[in-house]
Amino acid sequence: MAEKATVAGADYGFFFDQEICTGCKACQIACKDKHDLPVGVNWRRVVEYTGGSWQRSGNTFAPSVFTYYTSVSCNHCENPVCMQVCPTTAMTQREDGTVYVDQDKCVGCRYCEWACPYSAPQFNAETGHMSKCDLCYDYRSTGQDPACVEACPSRALDWGPIKDLRKKYGETNAVAPLPDPSITNPHLVIKPHRDAQAWDAASGNIVNPKEI
């Protein structure tokens, strides 16, 4: 993917193509490796969502089942509830809209973790502080793609100013198993899988809960 320059004043976000994601978890591994995250802390996670049934017609059965993957991290939301509940203002937003943890202020109370519908802030027991994706601020500052975007072999991830992503890919973000997007107005655009379910359909189940 071509290198991009960070644009001052832009509100950044992610694009995810649910249709072509194979669930390989290269994005998750690249993030974990780049940030040297300890066991149990994953800033990007790949969720497998499945559901449906088999219908019987006489002596035959017709499948009506689905399975697809969703790669999710912090969505650097328009309305970041993590910042609203943080008692020390450790949850901080840069001018480019990305949210990060000010380690000098964080006391590890975990309020942000409990408030975030995407489980983006995660407690690092080694530091006693919260941690989360900052959309690879250091990489972006030198014109590189975030680690997760660069690592995806299917090119299912993209990033950039959210206005540009929405203009290019649309505005869909209400796809199961993600929560109601109206809670935080995430800077996220999804190209839905052909079998994608609405966020409130309750028609499937997450089959790898221990991984996320």
Side-chain angles (χ1 to χ4, degrees), residues 29-76:
I29 295 169
C31 174
K32 194 173 186 72
D33 180 63
K34 189 263 181 183
H35 298 285
D36 195 25
L37 301 179
V39 174
V41 178
N42 295 300
W43 293 355
R44 181 169 285 279
R45 289 143 288 130
V46 177
V47 183
E48 183 177 355
Y49 193 67
T50 186
S53 63
W54 291 74
Q55 296 179 343
R56 182 171 182 174
S57 178
N59 293 323
T60 63
F61 291 84
S64 178
V65 296
F66 62 86
T67 295
Y68 56 85
Y69 302 95
T70 303
S71 178
V72 62
S73 70
C74 176
N75 293 307
H76 305 284

Side-chain angles (χ1 to χ4, degrees), residues 61-209:
F61 291 84
S64 178
V65 296
F66 62 86
T67 295
Y68 56 85
Y69 302 95
T70 303
S71 178
V72 62
S73 70
C74 176
N75 293 307
H76 305 284
C77 302
E78 191 72 28
N79 180 35
V81 294
C82 59
M83 289 180 60
Q84 297 173 20
V85 301
C86 180
T88 66
T89 69
M91 281 293 172
T92 306
Q93 193 169 34
R94 292 190 172 93
E95 292 183 359
D96 63 10
T98 57
V99 180
Y100 71 100
V101 184
D102 186 334
Q103 296 294 317
D104 291 333
K105 295 181 179 179
C106 181
V107 295
C109 68
R110 306 180 79 159
Y111 286 177
C112 57
E113 177 185 358
W114 301 329
C116 176
Y118 300 95
S119 300
Q122 299 195 5
F123 182 71
N124 186 332
E126 294 182 0
T127 65
H129 296 163
M130 302 307 298
S131 66
K132 63 178 291 297
C133 159
D134 67 352
L135 220 157
C136 282
Y137 179 73
D138 54 346
Y139 276 14
R140 293 186 289 115
S141 299
T142 58
Q144 301 178 74
D145 289 328
C148 58
V149 175
E150 183 65 28
C152 179
S154 301
R155 295 295 180 256
L157 286 168
D158 196 4
W159 72 281
I162 190 62
K163 289 183 179 179
D164 293 349
L165 295 178
R166 288 169 177 162
K167 183 177 180 180
K168 182 177 181 180
Y169 299 113
E171 299 192 5
T172 300
N173 59 12
V175 181
L178 300 182
D180 180 357
S182 68
I183 298 172
T184 62
N185 295 320
H187 285 172
L188 174 68
V189 176
I190 296 177
K191 180 180 179 183
H193 188 273
R194 62 182 180 277
D195 296 323
Q197 308 291 299
W199 73 268
D200 57 351
S203 52
N205 296 286
I206 295 173
V207 298
N208 61 333

